[in-house]
Amino acid sequence: MDFDAWNVDLDTLSAYHTTGFRISVEGSPTHPLGVSPSHFPAGLSAVEQARLIRCGMKAIKDAATGTRASKTSDDVFDEAAS
């Protein structure tokens, strides 16, 4: 499973995984007051569920701060310096 396959909607403060899993936050996307996961895919272990939540939260935070998950600004700087 690709744990980084997310579509984020900042208007609704939600992230949708390609499996159908959804995570919504209340409050700030960078410092949420509450988190509501739903529609876990069948057959996931508790560890995989926790990882899916963690990756979804990261996707929401990255979208809110303008951070791209694939490359950080440090990666771009290191490539430019090479």
Side-chain angles (χ1 to χ4, degrees):
M1 172 186 312
D2 182 1
F3 285 91
D4 296 321
W6 292 94
N7 292 312
V8 177
D9 182 355
L10 289 177
D11 291 334
T12 62
L13 297 177
S14 298
Y16 304 87
H17 190 260
T18 56
T19 61
F21 175 73
R22 177 182 173 187
I23 189 166
S24 299
V25 298
E26 297 175 34
S28 166
T30 57
H31 295 90
L33 299 173
V35 177
S36 300
S38 62
H39 300 80
F40 278 108
L44 287 185
S45 69
V47 172
E48 291 171 320
Q49 289 179 6
R51 182 176 176 191
L52 200 56
I53 292 171
R54 187 178 70 245
C55 291
M57 292 300 299
K58 183 178 183 323
I60 292 171
K61 182 177 180 181
D62 288 350
T65 60
T67 304
R68 292 186 305 161
S70 60
K71 284 190 181 271
T72 63
S73 59
D74 290 340
D75 292 336
V76 173
F77 178 77
D78 288 345
E79 287 178 7
S82 306

